[in-house]
Structure formats: C-alpha cells, structure tokens
Amino acid sequence: MADALLDDLDDLSDVEPEEEPSYEDRAEAGSSGDGGSSHDAAMCDGINGTSSSADGNAAATTKQRPRLLDDTSLKSHLSSVRAVKSGDDQKPSASDVTTKEEDEHQHVLVLASNKHLVSLGHEIHRAHLELCRQYHPKFPELEELLTETFQYRTAIGIIQNEMDVTKSNEELNEILSSNQIITISVAGSTTSGRRLTDDELKAVNACLYLDQLKSTQTDLTTFVESRMERCAPSVCALIGPFLAAQLLASTGGLAELTRIPACNLQLLGKNKSTSASRGGMATQTRAQHAGYLIECELVQSTPNYLKMKAVKAVAGKLALAARTDHVNVESGRKRTAAVGRKFHEELRVKFGKWEEPDKAQVVKALPK
C-alpha cells in the first residue's frame, strides 16, 4: 500500500507545470488587439470631451447669473419711487393732504418696496460671499473677524495688499474699535495668506456692485420710513418709524408682520453668534437674544437688568398694534395712531413702576 502511494507521488512530480506567457508575449497579444483599445481610447476621449464641455457650460452659466439690479421690475419700481419723491419735493410744505388714489398708490409702493428690500438683503449676502472668496487668498481670517458686510468691505479697501496690517491701524481706527484692531493685527502677523496678483487685486477693488446694492437699499428704506406713519401709524407711534421700516423690510409687509407671534417679534434682526463675536469681536452691541426691538426708545430708557423684560412687553403690544393697523387698512377705515400712543403710555408707566424700590415692610404689632 505504501509503495503504491509513493508511485502516485512520483507520477505527480513528473507532470511539468504550464509556462505562463512572458511579458513580450503579452505585449504582442496586446498589439494584435489595437483596434479595440483604440476604440476604447476614442470612447474615453469622447466622454472626457463631453465632460469638459459640460464643465465649461456650467462655468459659463455661473458667470452669467443675472444681477438683481438689472431686474426690470426693480428698475421700474425705483423709477416710480423717485417720481413720488420728486412730486413730494415740488409740493408746498403746508399741503400734506393726499387723495385716496395717491394714498393707495403709495401703499402699493410701500408693499413692493418691502418685497424688494428682502431680495436686496439676500443679494447683498451673496455679493459679500463673492467678495470674501476673492480676498480669501490674502487674509483668510478677516472674514471671520469682521462678519458685518460693509465693515468688511471698508476694511479690505484700507488694507489692500499690505502684508503688515499694523501700517493701516490709523485708518482702521476710524471704522473699528481698539479691540478689533489689536485682534486683526495679531491675526495679520500670523496669517497664512499671500499677496494678491495685480489681476486679483483689480477684481477685489472693482466690487462696486456691493456699494450699488447698499445705495439702492438705503433709498428704499428711506422711502418706506417716510411713508410708515401713513401705512402703520400705531406701529410708528409705539416703536418709531425707523424701527417700523426695518421690521416691515425684514418680514415683507404689514400683513406678514401680523402673522408673526410676539415671542418671535423680539428676535427679528437678531445677530448670529460666531466665534468672533463670542471672543469680543462683535460689530454691534446688540444683546444675544434680542433683535431690532432692543433699540426701541422705551427699551433703551430702562436699566440693563430690565431690558430683556421690556423687550418682551414691547413685542406683545407691537403684535396688537400691527394687527390693528392691518385691520384698518383691509377694512378701509381711517388709519389712526391712537392705539399705538395708548400702548406707548401704558408701557412707559409700567416700566416706571418696575424701577420703583420695593416698599418697606410695615411693622405690625404682635397679637396678644
């Protein structure tokens, strides 16, 4: 049995393994199929060409994104607003009476202005991001330190291509606080940025679109503010025409303002908390959990420990005042500021009582 097994092993060892083709043989076999490989290469070239052309079309589409200031509806609205302003300038100062048609036309213009102001806010944000992208190679840390759009725009106009930021401290002192200047100087000394090329610097300095957006936004805000006392007299009597214009611009109109509950009204215009603001680099001194209403005259007249409580009270009365104005507009009744003045006086008296000291405890005789 053992001999038989040994003979079988000998037979297996005698079988020679098949030789693998050498590198030259594989090369010759590959050269014989050049037709298929060339076809595959042509297919790959076609796919690459298609993808590259698609990328080029996508880039062209991105570059050709229409600008908001070129919108025909915005242009026609701006011309109407300027026509109304010029008509007001030509009127004598004593004649403030307007006809019903003029009042309705101005109300429509105010509503349209609020819609355009919301769109302008979004467009300013997009333009700010584009400016940050262009200046990022020079000073990437600056966009985190200065989050306010036009403060960032002014700062890069001063710094330009200077690597030593401390040389621009005197000019920056006109727009920034000392704390901000120190932080920017330290960040500029350790930045990973580089000098911009001449073409890149020209592109940064040619960002006049942001300034045009700001000018258009200012014109519309001024127009809305001047018409606020006619559109929402109670709201203006409570918080003032400037804050009323900001609230209507951020919400889109008086009807949209009435749909917002009082708990959310106090947060309209709230600043976003960033690492820079938490580190003392905030560009505005607004409280963390408050918006436009903290700048109200009633709130500013209270001490700091009562400000948030006062904002909640003003927001509650503001919701009622806005609904009163909206009902008067929709029903065609006379718009009056009586409700707003009443709420203003009630809040003023209430805030005064909050600041009064606690009454001393009355000493009572012990019972017998």
Side-chain angles (χ1 to χ4, degrees):
M1 187 68 179
D3 296 338
L5 290 174
L6 290 174
D7 294 338
D8 293 337
L9 291 174
D10 293 337
D11 294 337
L12 289 175
S13 62
D14 292 339
V15 176
E16 295 182 359
E18 296 181 359
E19 294 183 0
E20 295 183 359
S22 62
Y23 177 78
E24 290 80 2
D25 296 336
R26 289 199 299 268
E28 292 177 359
S31 63
S32 62
D34 283 342
S37 61
S38 61
H39 176 69
D40 295 339
M43 290 291 292
C44 293
D45 293 339
I47 294 174
N48 293 334
T50 305
S51 61
S52 61
S53 61
D55 294 340
N57 293 334
T61 304
T62 304
K63 293 180 180 179
Q64 294 175 359
R65 186 177 68 84
R67 303 194 311 173
L68 180 62
L69 293 182
D70 297 333
D71 188 18
T72 55
S73 62
L74 179 60
K75 288 182 177 180
S76 62
H77 177 72
L78 288 174
S79 61
S80 301
V81 168
R82 294 189 181 101
V84 172
K85 284 185 177 181
S86 62
D88 292 343
D89 296 337
Q90 294 176 0
K91 285 183 180 179
S93 58
S95 64
D96 292 335
V97 180
T98 57
T99 63
K100 184 178 180 181
E101 291 76 10
E102 291 178 353
D103 196 12
E104 292 179 353
H105 177 61
Q106 291 183 7
H107 180 62
V108 172
L109 286 179
V110 168
L111 294 180
S113 299
N114 291 327
K115 302 291 185 183
H116 287 301
L117 282 172
V118 174
S119 301
L120 283 170
H122 298 326
E123 187 73 7
I124 287 174
H125 178 66
R126 285 193 291 266
H128 174 63
L129 293 180
E130 177 65 20
L131 183 60
C132 291
R133 184 190 63 81
Q134 293 177 347
Y135 200 70
H136 184 81
K138 167 63 175 65
F139 200 167
E141 296 85 3
L142 186 62
E143 59 196 60
E144 292 291 335
L145 298 177
L146 297 179
T147 56
E148 206 276 324
T149 302
F150 298 100
Q151 199 174 42
Y152 178 82
R153 171 77 174 89
T154 309
I156 65 174
I158 294 174
I159 299 174
Q160 290 288 304
N161 217 6
E162 182 62 51
M163 297 303 295
D164 188 3
V165 185
T166 57
K167 295 181 179 179
S168 306
N169 284 350
E170 292 184 2
E171 298 180 35
L172 290 175
N173 193 28
E174 299 178 0
I175 61 170
L176 302 177
S177 63
S178 58
N179 186 21
Q180 290 175 319
I181 292 176
I182 292 173
T183 309
I184 290 175
S185 300
V186 173
S189 62
T190 60
T191 184
S192 59
R194 57 167 177 83
R195 286 185 177 273
L196 298 177
T197 62
D198 294 339
D199 295 337
E200 291 174 340
L201 188 60
K202 287 180 182 178
V204 170
N205 292 330
C207 287
L208 300 177
Y209 182 54
L210 194 60
D211 300 332
Q212 296 171 357
L213 289 172
K214 178 62 176 179
S215 176
T216 305
Q217 186 185 44
T218 303
D219 292 341
L220 290 181
T221 303
T222 305
F223 172 75
V224 172
E225 183 180 349
S226 63
R227 265 57 180 183
M228 273 292 96
E229 294 184 357
R230 298 178 184 176
C231 177
S234 294
V235 175
C236 292
L238 180 60
I239 62 175
F242 178 70
L243 290 181
Q246 285 185 318
L247 287 174
L248 264 69
S250 61
T251 56
L254 186 59
E256 289 78 3
L257 183 64
T258 58
R259 301 190 187 102
I260 301 176
C263 59
N264 293 337
L265 284 177
Q266 57 185 332
L267 297 177
L268 286 177
K270 173 181 175 293
N271 291 330
K272 293 183 179 180
S273 178
T274 61
S275 59
S277 62
R278 288 191 294 269
M281 289 292 295
T283 57
Q284 297 179 358
T285 58
R286 198 176 295 164
Q288 184 177 3
H289 297 290
Y292 296 127
L293 290 184
I294 203 169
E295 301 173 3
C296 177
E297 178 189 358
L298 287 169
V299 178
Q300 291 297 321
S301 63
T302 59
N304 290 331
Y305 70 95
L306 290 176
K307 274 185 169 47
M308 295 307 299
K309 187 177 180 181
V311 167
K312 293 180 182 179
V314 172
K317 296 297 185 182
L318 175 62
L320 297 176
R323 289 163 191 168
T324 301
D325 288 334
H326 181 62
V327 169
N328 291 338
V329 170
E330 292 297 322
S331 60
R333 289 183 290 188
K334 182 180 179 181
R335 304 168 194 172
T336 175
V339 176
R341 286 194 290 265
K342 176 185 174 182
F343 289 160
H344 188 279
E345 183 63 21
E346 290 178 358
L347 291 175
R348 189 186 63 80
V349 173
K350 180 185 289 187
F351 295 166
K353 290 182 179 180
W354 287 354
E355 299 181 34
E356 292 179 358
D358 296 335
K359 292 182 180 181
Q361 294 182 355
V362 178
V363 179
K364 294 181 179 181
L366 294 176
K368 294 182 179 179

